[in-house]
Amino acid sequence: MKIMENGSVVSPKGFKAWGNAVGLKKDKKDMAIITSDVPANAAGCFTTNIVKAAPVHWDMGNVENSIRGIVVNSGNANACTGKQGMKDAEDTAEKLASLMGVKAENVLVCSTGVIGVNLPMNKILNGIDSTYPLLSADIEGGNSAAEAIMTTDTYAKKVAVETEINGKTVTIGGMAKGSGMINPNMATMLCFITTDCYISKAMLHKALKACVKDTFNMISVDGDMSTNDTVLCLANGLAENEKINTQNEDFTKFKEALKYICKKLAIACADDGEGATKLIEAKVTGAVDKDSARKIALSVVSSSLLKAAIFGEDANWGRVLCAMGYSGADFDPMGVTIKFRSENGEILLMDKGTPIVFDEELAANILSAHIIYIDMILDEGTSHATAWGCDLTYDYVKINGDYRS
Amino acid sequence: MKIMENGSVVSPKGFKAWGNAVGLKKDKKDMAIITSDVPANAAGCFTTNIVKAAPVHWDMGNVENSIRGIVVNSGNANACTGKQGMKDAEDTAEKLASLMGVKAENVLVCSTGVIGVNLPMNKILNGIDSTYPLLSADIEGGNSAAEAIMTTDTYAKKVAVETEINGKTVTIGGMAKGSGMINPNMATMLCFITTDCYISKAMLHKALKACVKDTFNMISVDGDMSTNDTVLCLANGLAENEKINTQNEDFTKFKEALKYICKKLAIACADDGEGATKLIEAKVTGAVDKDSARKIALSVVSSSLLKAAIFGEDANWGRVLCAMGYSGADFDPMGVTIKFRSENGEILLMDKGTPIVFDEELAANILSAHIIYIDMILDEGTSHATAWGCDLTYDYVKINGDYRS
């Protein structure tokens, strides 16, 4: 597997993209379009919030079709917008479809931004008209698209890899936006993955679901789960590898590369959480089962108290044990070992249930790093899981105290 | 029912208390003792965190006994302190018991403060020695005790009521400390309730459990659930009412008064959440069942995004619907009506699933009040629930970024 320089959603064969400013946000790019030159198989993972935005409903209803394009807008989530919102999502798809000479059902749509306000459809429709002619397979196509989907993100998130499958070079590219409201099950997270791999719908869905479970569903910024979270993957088959129809060696190789893309983008979303200054990686080992390991890791990266302590570079490991304890997973607290790690070293804080008197200076030095690793070793079994989050800062409060204005 | 002026845990007959500075915190009161002149029936509700502090284990094991006293310290939670912590809890109980001429098993203990550091037992034991002679049934006894259990609380929380039960005046008094880490199931919340009511252990437990469910278990400050949460109630029978042995009219009257005490103290804990500037009361009506109503109300007051919006006085009602949607309760989003209310007026934001274009100036005026009411009217059934929380502020981050120092 090779990581590509300047990789993005246009790295795989037959994909074009562009990001444009169409007037939804003030002087910022706010619309991205991705197209495939040929019909692509699609797979999607969607928010489990029962309040789903209109575009989520549209995509859930159409992801089984052959897909030619995706329209994404930032600045307005088209969520909690009633029947008008459903019509607007369909009209958006219809607009790109008409330009491409396909049906609305062959186009997916995604929105992110403010909730509860109807889309300014004239801007959306004119925006598609003005963006469509600019679609490009060049680096700038992928870059501008990644930029256009940002909301409170501070940098564009994109990546691509090449892998060899049965003698053919298969490329996977992706971009994501995250930042606020990111929680288990992908809250306000949009991710778009393209690949020229030749793979069946069923196998594509299987691979995506597995990858999302270990990556996007293991990040948390603030515990809120949005109405719009979506991960979409399009596979157009232009790599001309032998079609992946079963869980064979080719499938495993494809899944590995796909997981790399998902992990890279998911961690970037946690790292770029609203107001975040630090990335937290919480790893649980020795758990009784996978589900328990996941619950514990997520509970720890979701704890406001721990997140505030990490912001303050305070080795308050008691808050780690406390969050483990209310995770809903069962374990013996007297078997727990806790360590903090960073590029500056490692420190043991609790050893099999017994608190360790530790060197505060060493702890402060470790916590001064940007990436903080929290190791939780249980004495229950052999299952493990990793979750990612960020610290809780003054800026999080500032950004969310007055997001709409 | 009569609310008593200067009411506290010493208002009921036969109770004494005192709060003292014994050196656990710098120049602040940090130990409270409550005693009953005669053996009291006790009932307790405890944290559901599987990581329980040593005093919680002690109290769970002894709450069935006849209780004569409670020792509470702030500044150190005696949590995650291994076997030494268990011994320290027992030694604390033993110390007060020896002064009172009773057994350790007749004394309960509670601790709150930093996690993972062993109690300085010489200070605790000397502190009990110096506090015991000061115990008083006067106003100052209750006031000083309520002050001594505070951690990051900004004011002492105490209350008492009188009610007539079968011709006798029965008094109930209480005090609580809350502030950070308060979440459903009473995270880092300590509450002590005293009453001279004559009531069986079984009925006392039944009444307390029911009251806690609707009050302390319906408040959230930051979603973290502590290792120490405890609500204890002592009933010494000195009111000489006919003993309450069944769910009769007397029981109902007692429970009503007890609920008033619990609600008053629980709301004060939410109102005084770490860094809080506003109290949020979220009320769900029309839910399919009680459990769904509770889940939705709690989900809304626990949402970091909504809490930050309330701090910013931003009528971001979409975050209300969003938090309702991931609460785990089932409902039809198209049947939801949402209103914000305060002493400054009322504003309709969503009407049966349709967003309402609203007057931003009116909304801002409503949100400028201290207490913000959020009404969520569902179209599912007749069940209702209310939860209380507070806004998320810069000061929350500040307080928790460096709590230990």
Side-chain angles (χ1 to χ4, degrees):
Chain A
M1 199 177 71
K2 201 183 105 193
I3 295 150
M4 297 175 76
E5 223 173 303
N6 291 315
S8 76
V9 288
V10 298
S11 301
K13 285 187 194 128
F15 287 98
K16 295 189 183 75
W18 195 259
N20 206 359
V22 307
L24 301 168
K25 295 196 296 198
K26 206 179 161 189
D27 301 328
K28 275 186 186 166
K29 292 196 178 71
D30 47 18
M31 176 177 283
I33 295 178
I34 307 170
T35 59
S36 172
D37 295 345
V38 298
N41 283 336
C45 291
F46 302 97
T47 182
T48 57
N49 194 318
I50 67 167
V51 179
K52 290 176 171 59
V56 173
H57 284 292
W58 175 262
D59 292 351
M60 290 176 81
N62 289 289
V63 71
E64 293 288 317
N65 306 331
S66 286
I67 299 301
R68 287 293 303 283
I70 306 173
V71 182
V72 193
N73 76 273
S74 59
N76 183 317
N78 193 11
C80 312
T81 44
K83 281 174 193 162
Q84 184 63 42
M86 289 303 302
K87 186 173 180 307
D88 292 345
E90 182 170 359
D91 288 351
T92 303
E94 175 60 40
K95 179 69 190 181
L96 178 61
S98 73
L99 293 174
M100 297 182 79
V102 298
K103 291 182 178 164
E105 67 189 44
N106 305 118
V107 172
L108 301 177
V109 293
C110 287
S111 299
T112 176
V114 171
I115 301 179
V117 179
N118 283 306
L119 281 175
M121 282 307 289
N122 57 331
K123 290 183 182 173
I124 294 281
L125 300 179
N126 292 338
I128 296 172
D129 267 330
S130 62
T131 307
Y132 185 70
L134 305 172
L135 287 169
S136 160
D138 293 344
I139 289 173
E140 190 46 27
N143 288 359
S144 61
E147 203 187 311
I149 63 174
M150 290 163 59
T151 50
T152 50
D153 304 66
T154 64
Y155 58 88
K157 298 157 188 76
K158 57 194 195 53
V159 62
V161 296
E162 277 179 5
T163 187
E164 205 183 288
I165 292 183
N166 230 322
K168 300 285 183 180
T169 298
V170 165
T171 306
I172 310 180
M175 65 183 191
K177 63 116 339 203
S179 217
M181 217 152 118
I182 288 176
N183 198 49
N185 307 315
M186 308 182 311
T188 299
M189 229 285 314
L190 296 181
C191 174
F192 305 95
I193 301 168
T194 55
T195 178
D196 46 24
C197 186
Y198 193 29
I199 181 170
S200 71
K201 269 180 210 174
M203 288 296 110
L204 183 66
H205 182 73
K206 200 178 195 78
L208 184 67
K209 206 176 145 186
C211 292
V212 166
K213 197 173 178 185
D214 283 338
T215 57
F216 291 113
N217 283 355
M218 293 300 287
I219 60 174
S220 175
V221 165
D222 59 11
D224 272 274
M225 186 203 296
S226 105
T227 49
N228 291 55
D229 309 337
T230 302
V231 176
L232 292 175
C233 182
L234 304 186
N236 67 11
L238 292 178
E240 296 184 333
N241 56 300
E242 197 179 315
K243 187 174 183 180
I244 301 175
N245 261 319
T246 61
Q247 294 192 57
N248 55 15
E249 205 179 307
D250 293 353
F251 176 81
T252 305
K253 245 184 146 176
F254 173 74
K255 204 175 79 170
E256 250 170 44
L258 183 63
K259 189 166 174 181
Y260 177 87
I261 298 283
C262 289
K263 189 172 164 181
K264 196 84 185 171
L265 294 172
I267 293 178
C269 288
D271 180 50
D272 194 23
E274 280 172 350
T277 68
K278 290 179 191 290
L279 173 66
I280 304 170
E281 179 172 313
K283 190 175 174 184
V284 173
T285 54
V288 67
D289 54 38
K290 194 78 181 171
D291 186 48
S292 298
R294 280 184 210 278
K295 275 185 187 160
I296 294 169
L298 276 174
S299 184
V300 169
V301 296
S302 304
S303 157
S304 291
L305 276 172
L306 176 69
K307 288 151 58 76
I310 295 294
F311 171 58
E313 302 184 354
D314 176 17
N316 203 322
W317 60 271
R319 293 180 182 174
V320 175
L321 188 62
C322 175
M324 294 171 71
Y326 63 70
S327 64
D330 195 29
F331 64 90
D332 176 9
M334 294 310 284
V336 173
T337 296
I338 298 173
K339 290 177 195 173
F340 282 5
R341 269 188 303 126
S342 78
E343 59 185 12
N344 300 338
E346 173 180 320
I347 194 162
L348 178 67
L349 299 159
M350 169 165 261
D351 187 16
K352 298 210 168 187
T354 303
I356 302 295
V357 177
F358 61 93
D359 179 345
E360 293 273 359
E361 209 170 311
L362 173 60
N365 189 33
I366 287 169
L367 290 175
S368 69
H370 173 64
I371 308 179
I372 308 299
Y373 300 89
I374 301 175
D375 294 336
M376 292 159 278
I377 302 134
L378 309 190
D379 195 20
E380 311 288 326
T382 59
S383 292
H384 57 91
T386 304
W388 295 270
C390 60
D391 54 347
L392 175 62
T393 70
Y394 299 122
D395 280 352
Y396 175 83
V397 178
K398 187 170 180 182
I399 292 165
N400 287 298
D402 200 10
Y403 177 67
R404 294 186 314 146
S405 54
Chain B
M1 199 176 72
K2 198 184 108 195
I3 297 151
M4 297 175 76
E5 224 174 304
N6 291 315
S8 75
V9 288
V10 299
S11 300
K13 282 186 197 134
F15 288 98
K16 294 190 183 75
W18 194 259
N20 205 1
V22 306
L24 301 167
K25 296 196 295 197
K26 207 179 160 187
D27 301 328
K28 274 186 187 164
K29 291 196 179 71
D30 46 18
M31 176 177 283
I33 295 179
I34 306 170
T35 59
S36 172
D37 295 345
V38 297
N41 283 336
C45 290
F46 303 97
T47 182
T48 57
N49 193 318
I50 67 166
V51 180
K52 289 176 171 62
V56 173
H57 284 291
W58 175 262
D59 291 351
M60 289 175 81
N62 290 290
V63 72
E64 293 288 316
N65 306 330
S66 284
I67 300 301
R68 286 293 303 281
I70 305 174
V71 182
V72 193
N73 75 273
S74 58
N76 183 319
N78 192 12
C80 312
T81 44
K83 281 175 193 161
Q84 184 63 42
M86 287 305 300
K87 187 176 179 304
D88 292 344
E90 183 171 357
D91 289 352
T92 303
E94 174 61 41
K95 178 69 189 180
L96 178 62
S98 73
L99 294 175
M100 297 184 77
V102 298
K103 291 182 178 165
E105 67 189 43
N106 305 118
V107 172
L108 301 177
V109 294
C110 286
S111 299
T112 177
V114 172
I115 301 179
V117 179
N118 283 306
L119 281 176
M121 282 307 288
N122 57 331
K123 288 182 183 172
I124 295 281
L125 300 179
N126 292 338
I128 296 172
D129 267 331
S130 62
T131 308
Y132 185 70
L134 305 173
L135 287 169
S136 160
D138 292 344
I139 287 172
E140 189 48 26
N143 287 359
S144 61
E147 202 187 311
I149 62 174
M150 290 163 60
T151 52
T152 50
D153 305 64
T154 64
Y155 59 88
K157 298 157 187 74
K158 57 193 194 50
V159 63
V161 295
E162 277 179 4
T163 186
E164 204 182 287
I165 293 185
N166 229 323
K168 300 284 182 179
T169 298
V170 164
T171 306
I172 311 180
M175 65 181 190
K177 61 117 342 201
S179 218
M181 215 150 120
I182 288 175
N183 198 48
N185 307 315
M186 309 182 308
T188 298
M189 228 286 314
L190 297 180
C191 175
F192 305 95
I193 300 168
T194 54
T195 179
D196 46 23
C197 186
Y198 191 29
I199 181 171
S200 72
K201 270 179 208 173
M203 286 298 109
L204 183 65
H205 182 74
K206 200 176 196 80
L208 184 66
K209 208 176 144 185
C211 292
V212 165
K213 197 174 179 186
D214 282 338
T215 57
F216 291 113
N217 285 354
M218 292 302 285
I219 60 173
S220 175
V221 166
D222 59 11
D224 273 275
M225 186 203 298
S226 105
T227 50
N228 291 56
D229 308 337
T230 302
V231 176
L232 292 175
C233 183
L234 304 186
N236 68 11
L238 292 179
E240 297 183 331
N241 57 301
E242 197 179 317
K243 188 173 184 180
I244 301 176
N245 260 319
T246 60
Q247 294 192 57
N248 55 15
E249 204 180 306
D250 293 352
F251 176 81
T252 304
K253 244 183 149 178
F254 174 73
K255 204 175 78 169
E256 248 170 45
L258 183 63
K259 189 165 173 184
Y260 177 85
I261 297 285
C262 289
K263 189 170 164 185
K264 197 85 184 168
L265 294 172
I267 292 178
C269 288
D271 180 51
D272 193 24
E274 279 172 350
T277 68
K278 287 177 194 293
L279 173 67
I280 304 170
E281 177 170 315
K283 188 172 177 186
V284 173
T285 54
V288 66
D289 54 37
K290 193 79 181 171
D291 187 49
S292 298
R294 280 182 210 278
K295 276 186 185 160
I296 294 169
L298 276 173
S299 185
V300 168
V301 295
S302 303
S303 158
S304 291
L305 277 171
L306 175 70
K307 286 150 60 75
I310 295 294
F311 171 58
E313 302 184 354
D314 176 16
N316 203 322
W317 60 271
R319 293 181 182 173
V320 175
L321 189 62
C322 177
M324 294 171 71
Y326 63 70
S327 65
D330 196 28
F331 64 90
D332 176 10
M334 296 309 285
V336 174
T337 295
I338 298 174
K339 290 178 194 172
F340 283 5
R341 269 189 301 127
S342 77
E343 58 184 13
N344 300 336
E346 171 179 321
I347 193 161
L348 177 68
L349 300 159
M350 169 164 261
D351 187 16
K352 298 211 169 185
T354 302
I356 303 296
V357 176
F358 61 91
D359 179 345
E360 292 274 359
E361 209 171 311
L362 173 60
N365 188 34
I366 288 169
L367 290 174
S368 69
H370 173 65
I371 308 179
I372 308 299
Y373 301 88
I374 302 175
D375 294 336
M376 293 159 277
I377 303 134
L378 309 190
D379 195 18
E380 310 289 327
T382 59
S383 293
H384 57 91
T386 303
W388 295 271
C390 60
D391 53 347
L392 174 62
T393 69
Y394 299 123
D395 280 350
Y396 175 85
V397 178
K398 186 169 181 186
I399 292 165
N400 288 297
D402 200 10
Y403 176 66
R404 295 187 313 144
S405 54

